[in-house]
Amino acid sequence: TCREYALQALSNLSFDKENKKPMWIATQAALITSSQLGAPADRKCREYALSAIHNLSCSTANQGPMWIATKVALVTASQLDASADRECRASALHTLANLAADATCVADMIANYSVDITAAALAATLLDSCDTNASVRRGGTRLLQMLRQASTVGVPPTPNSAAASADTASGSSNSETSAGGSASRQTTRGGGACF
């Protein structure tokens, strides 16, 4: 559909560091709406929207406003359990972990959403060890580490320390590539402190 192609393009454009802040400002309404689509026919649209939100969450300038605007959509997507929703769930978990690096975001997560977020992250870490679940497990592990560190110390964790711990625990590197239905679809989690 046209919506699917448009969201795929936004997801691809969201990788560029220079695009992150202006892109979030310009596209947040469309991305949030699309990230909440629930019909099976809209699954790819939801996947691309959550992928773009995940990529845009790497910008510290976006993190506070993004948490305020997307918290319900991200918490909901982090709890998806159908195997067809694996990419959506992984993007939501990684986005939550990125947002947990912001002191205001993590304080609200812990105060108001800790049960839902912790349950989603724990469930993700308990998935079987097949390769198709690797990104979801890493996202859950990283999110738990960010929340634990923030609640223990009372300050936001550094993304580098949690990411390094997650990679060591999962035995993986900082990047992964997942191919979608279209030739240009590529999601790479990496690039410094943001995943």
Side-chain angles (χ1 to χ4, degrees):
T1 67
C2 292
R3 176 189 272 177
E4 184 178 327
Y5 291 130
L7 289 165
Q8 180 182 21
L10 290 176
S11 178
N12 289 332
L13 290 170
S14 67
F15 283 107
D16 188 298
K17 188 176 184 177
E18 301 300 317
N19 288 342
K20 292 189 186 307
K21 185 175 181 182
M23 191 171 174
W24 173 246
I25 292 167
T27 65
Q28 65 180 302
L31 292 174
I32 293 166
T33 300
S34 298
S35 72
Q36 296 174 324
L37 296 172
D42 293 326
R43 187 171 272 129
K44 284 305 240 185
C45 291
R46 182 174 60 226
E47 181 180 321
Y48 291 133
L50 287 165
S51 175
I53 291 170
H54 168 224
N55 294 332
L56 297 173
S57 73
C58 293
S59 169
T60 56
N62 289 344
Q63 290 175 343
M66 183 177 284
W67 171 245
I68 292 167
T70 64
K71 60 178 105 178
V72 172
L74 291 173
V75 172
T76 301
S78 73
Q79 298 170 334
L80 295 171
D81 61 1
S83 63
D85 290 321
R86 196 175 289 123
E87 289 294 325
C88 295
R89 185 176 181 190
S91 289
L93 289 165
H94 284 283
T95 302
L96 288 168
N98 288 344
L99 297 179
D102 178 89
T104 303
C105 296
V106 78
D108 188 46
M109 282 181 196
I110 292 170
N112 298 307
Y113 296 91
S114 63
V115 172
D116 291 332
I117 291 173
T118 303
L122 279 170
T125 64
L126 298 174
L127 291 172
D128 65 48
S129 61
C130 69
D131 286 342
T132 56
N133 290 326
S135 181
V136 176
R137 278 195 328 277
R138 275 195 302 277
T141 300
R142 191 167 153 258
L143 178 55
L144 285 174
Q145 290 170 335
M146 297 291 278
L147 292 173
R148 182 181 64 229
Q149 190 174 5
S151 64
T152 302
V153 180
V155 296
T158 59
N160 284 332
S161 64
S165 298
D167 287 338
T168 301
S170 68
S172 67
S173 67
N174 281 353
S175 69
E176 72 185 55
T177 301
S178 118
S182 302
S184 65
R185 171 76 169 125
Q186 179 181 355
T187 303
T188 304
R189 305 194 202 297
C194 188
F195 290 84

